[in-house]
Amino acid sequence: MSDDRSRVDDAGAFETRAVHAGHEPDPATGAVVPAVSLASTFAQDAVGQHQGYEYARTGNPTRAALERCVASLERAAHGLAFASGMAAEDAVLRLLLPGEHVIIPTDAYGGTYRLVSSVYGPAGIEWTAVDLTDPEALAAAWREETRVVWIETPTNPLLTVVDIAAIAELAHDRGVLVVVDNTFATPYLQQPLSFGADVVVHSTTKYLGGHSDVVGGFVAVDDDDLAQGIAYLQNAAGAIPGPFDCYLVLRGVRTLAVRMDRHCENARAVAALLTEHPAVAEVRYPGLPGHPGHQVARRQMRGYGGVVSFTCAGGEEAALRVAASTRIFTLAESLGAVESLIEHPARMTHASATGSPLAVDAALVRLSVGIESQVDLVADLKQALDAAE
Ligand SMILES: Cc1ncc(COP(=O)(O)O)c(C=O)c1O
């Protein structure tokens, strides 16, 4: 866990911290990027006397640089890097004890749903899936045993926007922890701790890495005791990222702000095309004024992100045809990287939710809009939609 933040870690605007926070030129060589520190163990001057590192599961200099940087971007006192987004989520959920209860969103990421329902459920953790935009449904879900409310905003794949501040107020009145999966927004667009969240989790596989070449996860927290508890689990359960993976995420983070600006611009243009196209029944993008969460998104986000989902008027068959017909949008799972991707959630990323309350519409298509030319992207999607009519 990294909390020995240097001067630059707190200073300057987001873009400056994204480039500089967490590391400085190497005093020995002047290298301007952190070294990929491969050592699994570190020499001690005497028993228990060392330079901050003993064994690399517990801490590693490259990981520490990443942890300081992303903690700074989330405006958190502590950051912890993990081997995947799911490993990060797992470390947070391990704080729950048998008999305790977690509230998750009805359209949580399929992997979150699977972890809660199929791994923690059988281990005695109670859970309820709730539409977090429905105050009455949420009011009915609280229990004496509720320990965590898990927010994802915007959600994967339906782009539901949840009011973090409103839920944090209700949760804190009950002594319940608020966890926000900030993967879709990234800290550039939304900083959940500033709205009262207690814990932020990320799949750094997505926008933070940004180049489809690394799998990683992250937890950011302000509270010292919570941070100690999660750091204990990071070391005890050991789902840590390797040094090169940490380096790749850190490299991605340095360009996060400029990439996100382009993702948002391109997604807006794609959403505009979809809104007008007759092959499309419904467009889900928080940037559209008609999106039910648009006003909340305006308040809590700097931009509306790079993911756009839509349902095809021609149902599942049309959705599959569109997904098979794009040339620049690559048919693939995942999101948040420089290249544009298209996928069919019901059969791909969210297949594990089939038959559950979290199952997604088979007519749904999800786009991760990349940073290519907006003109090319819109033309590609248009020809695929025309083919689906
Ligand atoms: C919103 C969200 N949270 C968590 C995860 C899990 O992350 P990972 O695949 O890095 O384990 C994903 C992966 O798609 C995701 O989209």
Side-chain angles (χ1 to χ4, degrees):
M1 175 178 64
S2 301
D3 52 6
D4 57 333
R5 289 186 287 161
S6 61
R7 194 174 35 82
V8 74
D9 292 353
D10 291 319
F14 184 96
E15 293 83 345
T16 307
R17 286 178 284 120
V19 173
H20 293 288
H23 53 93
E24 284 174 354
D26 182 347
T29 64
V32 297
V33 295
V36 179
S37 178
L38 294 172
S40 60
T41 190
F42 297 84
Q44 307 203 2
D45 300 329
V47 174
Q49 275 180 36
H50 52 76
Q51 295 172 43
Y53 300 100
E54 295 159 89
Y55 182 60
R57 171 159 39 76
T58 318
N60 155 289
T62 320
R63 190 172 101 207
L66 171 66
E67 290 177 331
R68 284 193 296 263
C69 182
V70 178
S72 164
L73 299 184
E74 286 288 2
R75 291 293 195 196
H78 309 278
L80 299 117
F82 286 87
S84 68
M86 293 317 303
E89 293 193 13
D90 182 56
V92 174
L93 289 165
R94 276 173 197 261
L95 296 171
L96 290 156
L97 298 172
E100 292 186 328
H101 174 245
V102 53
I103 294 174
I104 58 169
T106 37
D107 59 345
Y109 166 61
T112 305
Y113 173 71
R114 180 174 52 200
L115 183 64
V116 169
S117 65
S118 302
V119 178
Y120 282 95
I125 307 299
E126 306 279 321
W127 60 277
T128 310
V130 172
D131 175 357
L132 294 178
T133 65
D134 176 349
E136 282 176 24
L138 180 59
W142 300 111
R143 297 190 199 163
E144 197 59 22
E145 301 77 26
T146 306
R147 173 98 192 274
V148 165
V149 55
W150 190 281
I151 298 175
E152 196 182 307
T153 184
T155 58
N156 179 4
L158 296 179
L159 284 317
T160 304
V161 172
V162 175
D163 188 332
I164 300 170
I167 293 198
E169 204 180 318
L170 294 171
H172 291 158
D173 281 350
R174 294 167 170 79
V176 171
L177 282 178
V178 178
V179 179
V180 176
D181 184 334
N182 203 28
T183 299
F184 269 41
T186 82
Y188 180 60
L189 300 182
Q190 169 176 286
Q191 289 160 22
L193 298 183
S194 69
F195 297 106
D198 302 291
V199 180
V200 174
V201 296
H202 280 285
S203 167
T204 57
T205 316
K206 310 300 182 320
Y207 291 103
L208 298 192
H211 295 76
S212 297
D213 55 7
V214 63
V215 172
F218 203 86
V219 177
V221 277
D222 243 357
D223 181 81
D224 294 346
D225 292 339
L226 255 182
Q228 288 294 345
I230 298 168
Y232 181 84
L233 290 165
Q234 182 194 38
N235 181 53
I240 50 142
F244 192 62
D245 288 354
C246 292
Y247 176 83
L248 285 174
V249 176
L250 187 57
R251 187 168 73 159
V253 162
R254 301 181 95 180
T255 56
L256 181 66
V258 284
R259 284 187 288 109
M260 289 315 292
D261 282 341
R262 178 64 81 89
H263 283 297
C264 291
E265 267 172 45
N266 284 356
R268 192 171 51 225
V270 161
L273 165 80
L274 293 168
T275 308
E276 286 165 11
H277 201 285
V280 175
E282 188 195 5
V283 187
R284 292 175 167 269
Y285 184 61
L288 294 173
H291 184 285
H294 180 65
Q295 290 309 329
V296 176
R298 274 186 66 161
R299 259 201 327 270
Q300 75 187 16
M301 299 176 78
R302 183 206 294 244
Y304 302 105
V307 180
V308 184
S309 293
F310 62 98
T311 48
C312 290
E316 178 170 26
E317 212 178 292
L320 292 171
R321 227 171 21 245
V322 174
S325 307
T326 50
R327 295 173 191 139
I328 299 174
F329 282 84
T330 302
L331 179 63
E333 298 196 359
S334 201
L335 58 103
V338 290
E339 69 279 331
S340 292
L341 302 177
I342 186 166
E343 72 120 0
H344 183 258
R347 292 200 188 199
M348 294 170 68
T349 48
H350 290 66
S352 65
T354 307
S356 78
L358 281 80
V360 292
D361 187 342
L364 189 77
V365 174
R366 188 189 74 191
L367 302 172
S368 173
V369 183
I371 64 167
E372 303 96 329
S373 145
Q374 195 178 107
V375 173
D376 290 345
L377 292 179
V378 169
D380 185 36
L381 205 54
K382 183 169 180 326
Q383 66 77 27
L385 289 166
D386 290 348
E389 269 194 283

